[in-house]
Amino acid sequence: MKPTDLHYEFYVLATPEQVWDTLVSPDGVKAIYGGCVIESTFREGDPIRYIGPGADGDKTIHVYGVILQCEQAKTLSFTHFVGDSYHPGQERYESRITYRLEPAGASTKLTLTHDRWHENDLSYDNSAKAWWMILSSTKTLIETGRPLAF
């Protein structure tokens, strides 16, 4: 059976530009993703990689893909594959991650959809658990200046 789409909506007391900056800036990404950084030009068709401390050392590739859509402070969408250290010897299946930012009064509605899952994708269960933590920490970081401590 094919996994269901993962869909989350959060409201953050910040502008879309502030939320965007946290999602793509080195400091924001490091705080949210345990020391990882994003390597990308953020141009459609170009690669994106989340790299940082992990099973393969300081340059572990956690997630990689290709930018599908990028409109600053509005939309970031990319294909999603997990790095080699997560499921060695297993086929890696493509899914898609899309962040959408919309003004909501003095706040921003942050919507994340992780979809297009393959039924055999071993990363689904971990993603379903991790997104709540990642997005809660993102909201906390933006609003308080400190991420959650897990």
Side-chain angles (χ1 to χ4, degrees), residues 95-113:
S95 57
R96 178 181 64 177
I97 294 173
T98 302
Y99 289 99
R100 295 202 189 285
L101 307 177
E102 302 170 56
S107 299
T108 297
K109 180 180 176 183
L110 166 59
T111 303
L112 179 123
T113 304

Side-chain angles (χ1 to χ4, degrees), residues 55-76:
D56 295 331
D58 288 343
K59 297 288 186 179
T60 298
I61 298 173
H62 293 274
V63 169
Y64 65 96
V66 173
I67 300 287
L68 300 171
Q69 183 180 7
C70 185
E71 188 175 354
Q72 188 170 345
K74 292 185 180 180
T75 305
L76 176 61

Side-chain angles (χ1 to χ4, degrees), residues 20 39 41 47 51 62 119 143:
W20 178 266
E39 289 183 353
T41 64
I51 300 174
H62 293 274
E119 62 188 26
E143 293 178 346

Side-chain angles (χ1 to χ4, degrees), residues 120-134:
N120 296 326
D121 194 330
L122 297 175
S123 68
Y124 179 83
D125 289 339
N126 187 53
S127 293
K129 292 175 193 173
W131 277 124
W132 285 111
M133 295 167 62
I134 292 167

